[in-house]
Amino acid sequence: MDKIALIVGARPNFMKIAPIDREFSKRGIETLLIHTGQHYDANMSDVFFEDLNMRLPDVHLNVGSGSHATQTAKIMIEFEKVCAEHTFAMVIVVGDVNSTIACTIVAKKLGIPVAHVEAGLRSFDRDMPEEINRILTDSISDLLLTPSLDGNHNLKNEGISENKIKFVGNIMIDSLYDALDRVKGSDINPAKKLNLEIYSVVTLHRPSNVDVEIKVNQLTSHLVNISHKIPIVFPMHPRTKNTFERFGKLALLENEPTIHLLEPLGYLEFVSLLGSSTIVITDSGGLQEETTSLGIPCLTLRENTERPITITEGTNQLVSDLTILQTLVDTVLTNDRQVAPQKPMFWDGKTAERIVNSVVSFLER
Ligand code: UD1
């Protein structure tokens, strides 16, 4: 069998590809690991390879930041060169970032089959760049590997043939379980170093929250008030740090003794921080799933989610109106009822096996 190309580019890709790469290697199937360089800071990229027990990329495209068009175009140009140098049986892309759509277009135009892991998720909000990436990637991929059955439903509604769609489960949970095992009993949790027993975790990076001045102002005052009820640990994405600084709010957060701003954390540090937290406030996609899996209440600062199962079966709540954020936090904090960890179907740590089974049977057809 020819090699299989595995694409990583941005932070949330690494934990999805690591278990898939390991499973291929276990079965003696050759892969080429390609890093587009969409994320390039050491703490947004390099640290994940170590934390996920992941081998270093075979090829690095070093594209870096830019506008959506620049970034996507640069990835396409560089990835096409890699495709010319190798013969791939298939290209596997994950998630919904610019690297996902860029490599999908290139592969398909060269006649290479594409498998999309995390297919079928839809927020139905076409103002989100990720929604455009999801729709386009799914519409031309050959094998659509879904994390939950709503994904199958969305794809069928878009007219995609049922025999392309395989429900395999949530690959993030494979890495989550693995990391939880590895951090058990360790001192890696940054909250320990801060002497925090009870704390909330905040992460924000969506342009719709952090690139809009009025939102940044509102968020700052809500976070300060919330931190007086429960200390906040806030590992800041570089985009977020830049815009909070530009809008003159960074110093305010830094000077608040109950808010602990950190650099972006490695995966093991983050999982450890998350695992012992009381409540999470976020706009991330992956965190909605991880909190559901751990039974931790999650308030998602978005108007919609492409992961509705985290609401219907999990611990997630959408907060589209920031003025009710503090009330929702109060409700969580006064509710003694422990939330049991949820296990939506196939969020069981065995998704990599099902993905590789599906890829092998696709290639043996
Ligand atoms: C990207 C994904 C988003 C994902 C997020 C996770 C797209 C369209 N968006 O958003 O879906 O949830 O990654 O983090 O692909 N920067 C650095 N260092 C880095 C990376 C970025 O300083 O290593 C800064 C740059 O100023 C850059 C900005 O952050 O312009 C945004 O990075 P970019 O990759 O364009 O998008 P994200 O906001 O990270």
Side-chain angles (χ1 to χ4, degrees):
M1 195 195 291
D2 290 326
K3 276 186 289 249
I4 295 188
L6 302 175
I7 309 296
V8 290
R11 186 167 63 174
N13 296 159
F14 305 120
M15 43 294 239
K16 294 170 193 166
I17 286 291
I20 300 174
D21 189 29
R22 268 201 297 278
E23 188 63 28
F24 275 122
S25 136
K26 224 197 264 174
R27 302 204 199 178
I29 299 172
E30 200 187 348
T31 56
L32 194 80
L33 182 60
I34 300 157
H35 190 337
T36 65
Q38 175 172 348
H39 284 173
Y40 46 86
D41 284 359
N43 56 15
M44 294 290 285
S45 172
D46 302 358
V47 65
F48 289 91
F49 288 85
E50 200 173 306
D51 280 4
L52 289 157
N53 262 337
M54 197 173 175
R55 71 195 166 98
L56 291 177
D58 300 303
V59 179
H60 205 302
L61 306 182
N62 287 312
V63 298
S65 298
S67 68
H68 283 271
T70 306
Q71 190 173 57
T72 309
K74 276 191 183 166
I75 298 169
M76 289 178 69
I77 292 167
E78 295 307 317
F79 182 55
E80 191 178 47
K81 293 179 194 162
V82 178
C83 292
E85 282 166 21
H86 298 267
T87 310
F88 294 129
M90 177 169 245
V91 172
I92 300 186
V93 296
V94 297
D96 55 17
V97 301
N98 288 340
S99 304
T100 312
I101 181 61
C103 294
T104 301
I105 295 175
V106 170
K108 285 304 298 171
K109 292 209 171 174
L110 293 171
I112 307 167
V114 173
H116 182 208
V117 174
E118 211 176 83
L121 297 187
R122 294 291 180 269
S123 63
F124 302 101
D125 174 3
R126 291 192 178 193
D127 289 335
M128 272 180 94
E130 292 82 1
E131 183 75 352
I132 307 296
N133 294 342
R134 290 181 204 115
I135 295 170
L136 297 181
T137 302
D138 285 340
S139 69
I140 55 176
S141 292
D142 302 273
L143 182 58
L144 298 159
L145 301 161
T146 64
S148 46
L149 286 170
D150 52 284
N152 295 48
H153 179 77
N154 293 335
L155 293 170
K156 281 182 224 158
N157 274 351
E158 289 174 17
I160 291 174
S161 147
E162 221 164 307
N163 58 23
K164 287 187 177 177
I165 310 169
K166 288 273 172 311
F167 170 40
V168 291
N170 192 333
I171 191 65
M172 292 275 282
I173 307 304
D174 288 34
S175 282
L176 179 66
Y177 283 179
D178 201 45
L180 283 171
D181 267 354
R182 291 171 62 204
V183 299
K184 218 180 276 166
S186 81
D187 277 338
I188 198 171
N189 184 351
K192 267 202 182 159
K193 292 173 200 128
L194 297 164
N195 284 322
L196 300 175
E197 291 278 323
I198 290 177
Y199 56 90
S200 57
V201 173
V202 173
T203 83
L204 296 169
H205 74 278
R206 298 243 165 248
S208 57
N209 281 324
V210 304
D211 288 4
V212 184
E213 185 164 10
I214 183 166
K215 278 275 188 78
V216 169
N217 293 343
Q218 287 172 342
L219 280 166
T220 304
S221 69
H222 288 308
L223 291 180
V224 167
N225 289 338
I226 290 167
S227 80
H228 296 156
K229 297 171 188 163
I230 180 162
I232 287 177
V233 183
F234 185 175
M236 266 189 151
H237 187 288
R239 168 196 282 284
T240 312
K241 194 168 186 183
N242 286 341
T243 58
F244 272 66
E245 187 156 36
R246 178 148 43 91
F247 298 139
K249 296 294 175 195
L250 189 63
L252 219 150
L253 294 183
E254 275 170 348
N255 293 332
E256 192 61 46
T258 43
I259 297 185
H260 305 274
L261 298 187
L262 306 177
E263 291 295 310
L265 295 173
Y267 186 61
L268 293 178
E269 280 179 302
F270 190 78
V271 165
S272 174
L273 177 75
L274 180 66
S276 302
S277 65
T278 300
I279 179 171
V280 171
I281 300 171
T282 189
D283 57 13
S284 145
L287 262 175
Q288 297 172 51
E289 301 177 334
E290 289 159 343
T291 46
T292 277
S293 182
L294 296 168
I296 296 166
C298 179
L299 300 177
T300 299
L301 307 189
R302 286 179 44 188
E303 290 180 359
N304 47 55
T305 178
E306 61 289 334
R307 293 161 161 93
I309 196 168
T310 60
I311 297 175
T312 53
E313 294 188 25
T315 54
N316 189 21
Q317 241 179 300
L318 290 179
V319 186
S320 52
D321 172 6
L322 280 182
T323 60
I324 62 164
L325 176 62
Q326 290 186 49
T327 315
L328 292 174
V329 172
D330 288 342
T331 311
V332 170
L333 295 182
T334 50
N335 195 348
D336 308 325
R337 191 171 48 89
Q338 288 289 315
V339 192
Q342 299 296 309
K343 249 198 191 180
M345 193 177 170
F346 285 174
W347 292 28
D348 58 358
K350 297 194 169 73
T351 295
E353 286 173 34
R354 288 185 289 269
I355 288 174
V356 172
N357 289 343
S358 302
V359 168
V360 168
S361 46
F362 175 90
L363 293 174
E364 287 175 350
R365 284 172 320 165

